[in-house]
Amino acid sequence: MSSLWSRPEPPRRPALSREAIVTAAVAIADAEGLAAVSIRRVAAELGARAMTLYSYIERKEDLLALMHDAIAAEVLVDEPLPDDWREALLLLARREREMVLRHPWRVELISQRIEVGPNGLRHVEQKLSVFDGLGIDRLTAWRILAAFADYMTGFVIREATDRRAPRRQGINDAERAAAAEPYIRELIDGGEFPRLAPMIEEGVRGDDDNFERGLSWVLDGIEAGLHGR
């Protein structure tokens, strides 16, 4: 079986091309979630027959890969990256976070074996370029990117999940918290949670700075490790 990226695209037809198919699929996923995307649904949006789309895309997995690569282009930086490697990684991290917030269905693809496309490879190449001049070997650079990616993945999954969390049984977050309050109060008053109790009493919640702060801590650790080599 040949790679998706090496297959030639069939001749364009009026209002139909691989690019048009992917654009329609991304719009559906943005509006309704990844589960709403199917070859049949995309064909209907484009006013075409499903069998016609199979001339451009052989299977749904290929469509997901193309969608993933299309939004990966949004993370690429056209202008030169900052000279400081930390500032460069922060810039790329912000763009990646913004991309996931625009396309929250991206988190559903993280656990799937999606075939990497050219924009995905360009993104990795751009991240690797921030280490030019640091004098680190390829393995160290890759390990740094892995730590960076692990933080990014965890954060964006949680953030995207929180933002799209549905109302369950018509109960909002405030009503759910109020319903649980007597039980939580009983546990706290029992003295079993001396560290957690003041956090609940005084209120400890995240803010928009958590992303930057956590990423700075990750980069602090990486930088200390580099200096300690």
Side-chain angles (χ1 to χ4, degrees):
M1 184 176 65
S2 62
S3 169
L4 161 65
W5 311 105
S6 63
R7 294 177 214 147
E9 180 177 356
R12 287 174 176 259
R13 304 181 186 186
L16 191 60
S17 65
R18 189 175 283 173
E19 181 182 359
I21 293 168
V22 173
T23 299
V26 169
I28 293 170
D30 288 346
E32 304 175 38
L34 197 61
V37 176
S38 67
I39 298 293
R40 185 179 299 276
R41 173 67 188 282
V42 174
E45 290 292 323
L46 295 172
R49 296 187 304 115
M51 290 306 298
T52 303
L53 264 64
Y54 283 111
S55 299
Y56 294 83
I57 298 172
E58 294 184 2
R59 53 185 184 156
K60 184 178 179 180
E61 288 78 6
D62 291 347
L63 178 58
L64 296 179
L66 288 163
M67 293 167 62
H68 179 268
D69 199 60
I71 62 175
E74 300 176 17
V75 185
L76 299 176
V77 178
D78 294 329
E79 64 272 14
L81 292 173
D83 292 333
D84 180 79
W85 69 273
R86 290 182 56 133
E87 287 302 317
L89 279 181
L90 282 169
L91 172 61
L92 293 171
R94 293 181 189 118
R95 289 180 70 105
E96 191 167 344
R97 180 192 185 192
E98 291 164 0
M99 180 268 285
V100 174
L101 291 177
R102 285 192 297 271
H103 311 290
W105 48 271
R106 165 69 177 84
V107 303
E108 297 178 47
L109 297 180
I110 290 176
S111 62
Q112 301 184 36
R113 292 185 176 275
I114 298 297
E115 190 173 350
V116 178
N119 287 322
L121 292 174
R122 291 182 186 111
H123 177 50
V124 175
E125 178 71 15
Q126 193 161 59
K127 285 193 290 188
L128 286 171
S129 73
V130 308
F131 305 125
D132 291 351
L134 288 184
I136 61 176
D137 57 74
R138 290 189 295 271
L139 178 58
T140 300
W142 192 256
R143 285 172 174 170
I144 292 173
L145 283 195
F148 176 84
D150 288 344
Y151 173 81
M152 286 295 303
T153 298
F155 190 96
V156 299
I157 285 177
R158 180 179 59 77
E159 185 173 42
T161 301
D162 288 346
R163 292 198 175 203
R164 65 181 178 171
R167 289 167 59 97
R168 295 182 178 86
Q169 300 178 346
I171 301 176
N172 61 31
D173 289 342
E175 293 166 337
R176 189 177 299 108
E181 200 276 337
Y183 170 70
I184 298 296
R185 171 59 55 191
E186 181 180 350
L187 292 178
I188 294 301
D189 290 346
E192 186 179 351
F193 305 99
R195 299 167 189 84
L196 184 58
M199 293 185 179
I200 295 177
E201 294 284 356
E202 299 167 14
V204 176
R205 58 188 299 270
D207 54 38
D208 289 339
D209 291 333
N210 279 347
F211 175 76
E212 299 279 338
R213 182 184 302 114
L215 191 52
S216 292
W217 287 344
V218 171
L219 296 179
D220 286 346
I222 291 171
E223 187 168 25
L226 292 176
H227 291 324
R229 287 187 302 143

